[in-house]
Amino acid sequence: MLKEILKILEKDARTTTKQIATMTGSSEGEVVKLIKKAEAERTIIKYKTMVNWDKVGNEQVRALIEVKVTPQRDVGFDSIAERIYRFPQAHTVYLVSGTYDLAVLVIGKSMHDIADFVTQKVAPIEGVQGTATHFLLKRYKEDGEILEEAEGNKRQPVIL
């Protein structure tokens, strides 16, 4: 039942406990109890609103920074990953397979801000061998949500 509740909340965090109880066929008291337990255990970490900031004129620059790391004895990649995820600019940090070891999603006010973050904060960390920065030009879909529906074909048909 907890998995059902989590799926509902993940899709829409505004779903009320009463609605969840109806959807799962359980009592509202049981739903409240399970949610409080999941929050205490950090299974539910945060309730979040997804905003398309471009629509309100608050432009943000996003970049994906790939980081090549020398793993450290006894802690592997975790220590360097922690140093990076503690920076407020690091929105998301993943350990990945492939040429690079960490993928860091960075959000800033300008390309210059992001470049400064990479050169002044990330690159100097002991154990960082190199970085590659990819600026995100347009977001189409995020967290499973399409940000803007594609407009239909605007071309006029030609009849001969």
Side-chain angles (χ1 to χ4, degrees):
M1 166 132 111
L2 177 61
K3 285 184 182 179
E4 283 182 84
I5 293 170
L6 296 174
K7 285 179 183 178
I8 292 166
L9 288 173
E10 184 177 45
K11 189 169 182 162
D12 184 358
R14 295 183 309 163
T15 308
T16 66
T17 54
K18 185 175 183 177
Q19 291 169 323
I20 294 170
T22 301
M23 294 165 80
T24 59
S26 54
S27 73
E28 187 175 2
E30 182 66 19
V31 170
V32 169
K33 180 178 154 190
L34 287 170
I35 290 173
K36 285 188 186 298
K37 183 175 186 238
E39 290 169 344
E41 294 173 347
R42 289 194 47 84
T43 302
I44 295 176
I45 297 168
K46 176 180 177 177
Y47 296 93
K48 174 178 162 177
T49 300
M50 190 170 130
V51 178
N52 186 347
W53 288 107
D54 295 338
K55 292 218 176 232
V56 292
N58 185 17
E59 291 190 26
Q60 298 174 327
V61 177
R62 294 170 181 253
L64 183 64
I65 315 300
E66 295 175 314
V67 184
K68 182 81 173 145
V69 172
T70 302
Q72 297 177 330
R73 182 180 300 272
D74 299 325
V75 293
F77 300 100
D78 295 347
S79 173
I80 294 172
E82 181 178 0
R83 288 195 58 193
I84 293 171
Y85 72 62
R86 295 267 179 221
F87 291 115
Q89 297 92 329
H91 190 263
T92 304
V93 179
Y94 295 111
L95 176 64
V96 296
S97 63
T99 307
Y100 288 86
D101 303 303
L102 300 174
V104 183
L105 177 62
V106 177
I107 300 176
K109 293 180 182 176
S110 68
M111 288 183 172
H112 184 74
D113 283 349
I114 291 173
D116 283 349
F117 171 71
V118 174
T119 59
Q120 295 174 14
K121 303 285 188 194
V122 176
I125 295 173
E126 187 177 334
V128 170
Q129 295 177 3
T131 64
T133 302
H134 307 276
F135 287 98
L136 306 181
L137 304 176
K138 183 174 181 178
R139 297 182 305 154
Y140 294 100
K141 186 174 184 178
E142 189 168 297
D143 289 337
E145 296 296 327
I146 297 170
L147 297 176
E148 291 194 34
E149 291 292 332
E151 295 180 24
N153 188 350
K154 294 182 179 179
R155 301 173 110 190
Q156 294 294 321
V158 177
I159 301 173
L160 300 174

